[in-house]
């Protein structure tokens, strides 16, 4: 699509929508960002009667950034604290994800996960995870050493194994293809190759929102009654276009490289995670599977300033190999190589789990003083798992 795709989307909307009410704006809803969360939000809003939703995406297709560069794990909700948005939306989103995948035959697998401990300190962390999971109704149980050796003889767990049977994996590309198709089937409009360059809150949003996009020398604008900022890696710059300087955020980017494994053995049939490390930016160099059963490891954590820097970095590979070999001692180190990387949008150099200081929750808020504006910031893991529940949350904020 050319830079005038938003303008053409507007033209298509006039042909696609019919309503007896007179609209003062071109669309009832504008959602910025075509990742899995933006897709889920746009689809949910478009399900409402008499609406017209446009999804504005700066790239030429959906899900080209964080949504397609992750572990594709359906998280159980073990790490985020009882009162956090991450916990609530992960638990709700997990059930919605499994239901959607079953109903629409989206490729997924409820393979389960082991969290493994190698010493007493790590075992203490597992016991805390188990206690928390029990308190919020997430099934976990300890696996005996004998059962562990029988089921996964290649996995080392010197101190203990905590199993999470509700963890799984999903083909994120197939999921996003479904969400995009369902959104458009219900009359939603996708405007690709449309980077947002300016946003005007007409009478602080009471008069709607004017959104300007440009590419090259072309510029076009549309208006919408409500605005949802789900722009992922560019969500903070978008937010800073709207909010006054004293409410601006600084973006942080946690780059994670993933590593592939070239051999067929050892090959566990379950995801394997090390015990959570307090204050860590992720969940350690874990072992995941894709839908074809291939093993991959990662991600590591590297703080970067450039959210477009997707060069895979081998600087942390030796340390990652050491981490991997603690729970998979028979792995052939020479068969582990660089694969791909992703970048997680964060609100600070804070922890991904609540076991340490500085845990950062999702920021999902209807901003005070700006009518019809919902801001989604720091939507990293478990964003994929939570995406359908986040869509419900946004709808609730717009229609309390």
């Amino acid at each position: 699509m050319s830079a005038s795709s938003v303008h053409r989307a507007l033209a298509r909307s006039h042909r696609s929508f019919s309503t007896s009410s007179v609209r003062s704006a071109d669309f009832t809803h504008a959602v910025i960002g075509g990742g899995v969360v933006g897709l889920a939000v746009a689809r949910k809003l478009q399900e409402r009667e008499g609406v017209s939703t446009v999804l504005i995406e700066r790239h030429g297709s959906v899900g080209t950034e964080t949504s397609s560069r992750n572990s594709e794990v359906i998280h159980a909700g073990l790490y985020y604290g009882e009162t956090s948005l991450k916990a609530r939306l992960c638990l709700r989103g997990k059930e919605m994800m499994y239901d959607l995948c079953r109903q629409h035959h989206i490729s997924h697998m409820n393979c389960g996960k082991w969290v493994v401990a190698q010493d007493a300190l790590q075992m203490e962390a597992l016991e805390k995870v188990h206690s928390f999971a029990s308190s919020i109704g997430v099934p976990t149980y300890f696996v005996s050493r004998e059962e562990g050796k029988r089921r996964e003889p290649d996995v080392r767990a010197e101190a203990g194994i905590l199993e999470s049977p509700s963890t799984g994996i999903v083909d994120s590309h197939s999921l996003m293809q479904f969400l995009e198709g369902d959104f458009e089937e219900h009359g939603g409009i996708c405007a690709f190759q449309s980077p947002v360059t300016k946003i005007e809150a007409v009478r602080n949003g009471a008069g709607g929102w004017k959104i300007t996009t440009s590419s090259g020398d072309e510029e076009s604008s549309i208006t919408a009654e409500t605005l949802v900022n789900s722009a992922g890696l560019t969500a903070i710059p978008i937010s800073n276009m709207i909010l006054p300087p004293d409410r601006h955020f600084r973006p942080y980017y946690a780059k994670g490289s993933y590593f592939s494994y070239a051999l067929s053995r050892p090959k566990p049939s379950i995801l394997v995670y090390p015990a959570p490390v307090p204050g860590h930016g992720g969940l350690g160099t874990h072992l995941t599977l894709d839908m074809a059963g291939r093993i991959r490891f990662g991600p590591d954590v590297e703080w970067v300033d450039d959210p477009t820097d997707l060069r895979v970095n081998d600087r942390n590979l030796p340390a990652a190999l050491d981490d991997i070999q603690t729970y998979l001692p028979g792995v052939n180190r020479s068969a582990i190589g660089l694969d791909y990387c992703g970048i997680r949008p964060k609100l600070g150099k804070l922890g991904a789990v609540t076991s340490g200081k500085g845990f950062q929750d999702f920021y999902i808020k209807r901003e005070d003083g700006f009518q019809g504006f919902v801001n989604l910031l720091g939507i990293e893991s478990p964003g994929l798992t939570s995406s359908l529940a986040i869509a419900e949350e946004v709808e609730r904020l717009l229609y309390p």
Side-chain angles (χ1 to χ4, degrees), residues 33 45 90 156 166 173 210 244 248 268 304 319 352:
L45 295 176
C90 182
R156 173 194 282 161
S166 63
H173 300 274
K210 183 179 179 182
H248 282 188
V304 297

Side-chain angles (χ1 to χ4, degrees), residues 49-117:
E49 185 175 355
V51 305
S52 55
T53 305
V54 60
L55 180 68
I56 302 172
E57 166 56 45
R58 63 176 176 154
H59 295 295
S61 60
V62 301
T64 60
E65 294 183 351
T66 306
S67 295
S68 59
R69 293 175 170 272
N70 55 68
S71 301
E72 298 186 302
V73 172
I74 302 174
H75 288 284
L78 304 179
Y79 304 113
Y80 312 115
E82 186 175 4
T83 61
S84 72
L85 270 178
K86 282 187 176 182
R88 176 165 64 84
L89 297 177
C90 182
L91 295 182
R92 170 66 176 155
K94 174 182 63 174
E95 300 307 320
M96 295 177 73
M97 182 73 70
Y98 279 127
D99 289 345
L100 184 79
C101 289
R102 285 190 291 262
Q103 183 178 353
H104 296 283
H105 308 290
I106 299 167
S107 185
H108 72 290
M109 182 167 56
N110 183 193
C111 55
K113 175 176 78 173
W114 279 4
V115 189
V116 297

Side-chain angles (χ1 to χ4, degrees), residues 276-304:
V277 177
H280 197 268
L283 290 175
T285 306
H286 46 265
L287 181 157
T288 60
L289 308 169
D290 65 17
M291 292 307 303
R294 291 184 293 264
I295 286 178
R296 55 190 173 196
F297 301 100
D300 61 3
V301 177
E302 175 190 359
W303 295 100
V304 297

Side-chain angles (χ1 to χ4, degrees), residues 126-378:
L126 260 60
E127 289 169 347
K128 289 179 179 178
V129 170
H130 175 60
S131 177
F132 169 69
S134 300
S135 73
I136 61 171
V138 176
T140 58
Y141 56 88
F142 286 101
V143 175
S144 69
R145 180 184 293 268
E146 294 74 20
E147 181 183 351
K149 285 296 182 183
R150 176 178 57 80
R151 289 173 56 189
E152 299 291 349
D154 296 319
V155 176
R156 173 194 282 161
E158 294 295 334
I161 301 168
L162 183 67
E163 180 156 350
S164 167
S166 63
T167 299
I169 55 175
V170 62
D171 183 338
S172 61
H173 300 274
S174 296
L175 171 64
M176 289 187 286
Q177 286 176 354
F178 168 78
L179 293 175
E180 179 186 6
D182 199 50
F183 169 63
E184 292 184 324
E185 187 174 324
H186 284 83
I189 299 293
C190 291
F192 295 117
Q193 294 184 336
S194 302
V196 174
T197 56
K198 184 179 179 181
I199 300 174
E200 181 183 352
V202 181
R203 300 195 310 277
N204 285 340
W209 296 83
K210 183 179 179 182
I211 303 140
T212 301
T213 66
S214 65
S215 181
D217 295 329
E218 294 187 70
E219 186 174 271
S220 58
S221 298
I222 60 161
T223 56
E225 296 174 12
T226 71
L227 175 66
V228 179
N229 175 21
S230 182
L233 293 174
T234 58
I236 288 178
I238 293 290
S239 176
N240 291 348
M241 289 182 187
I242 300 167
L243 300 180
D246 62 338
R247 292 165 64 180
H248 282 188
F249 294 87
R250 176 187 170 187
Y252 292 81
Y253 305 107
K255 179 178 177 179
S257 293
Y258 291 82
F259 311 102
S260 61
Y261 191 56
L263 301 180
S264 59
R265 299 292 174 188
K267 190 176 182 180
S269 60
I270 197 166
L271 311 186
V272 183
Y273 281 54
V277 177
H280 197 268
L283 290 175
T285 306
H286 46 265
L287 181 157
T288 60
L289 308 169
D290 65 17
M291 292 307 303
R294 291 184 293 264
I295 286 178
R296 55 190 173 196
F297 301 100
D300 61 3
V301 177
E302 175 190 359
W303 295 100
V304 297
D305 296 323
D306 181 3
T308 67
D309 179 10
L310 294 174
R311 295 170 297 176
V312 185
N313 193 336
D314 64 356
R315 183 175 63 187
N316 294 327
L317 181 56
L321 291 173
D322 291 342
D323 288 345
I324 293 164
Q325 205 154 27
T326 61
Y327 62 78
L328 203 66
V331 72
N332 186 327
R333 294 171 69 104
S334 65
I336 299 175
L338 299 176
D339 194 354
Y340 65 98
C341 74
I343 297 179
R344 301 188 287 283
K346 297 178 76 73
L347 292 168
K349 294 185 177 182
L350 304 174
V353 300
T354 57
S355 57
K357 295 181 180 179
F359 168 71
Q360 179 62 61
D361 203 358
F362 288 152
Y363 182 103
I364 302 174
K365 184 176 180 181
R366 183 169 179 168
E367 294 287 2
D368 293 338
F370 293 89
Q371 186 170 316
F373 175 42
V374 177
N375 213 5
L376 281 67
L377 307 178

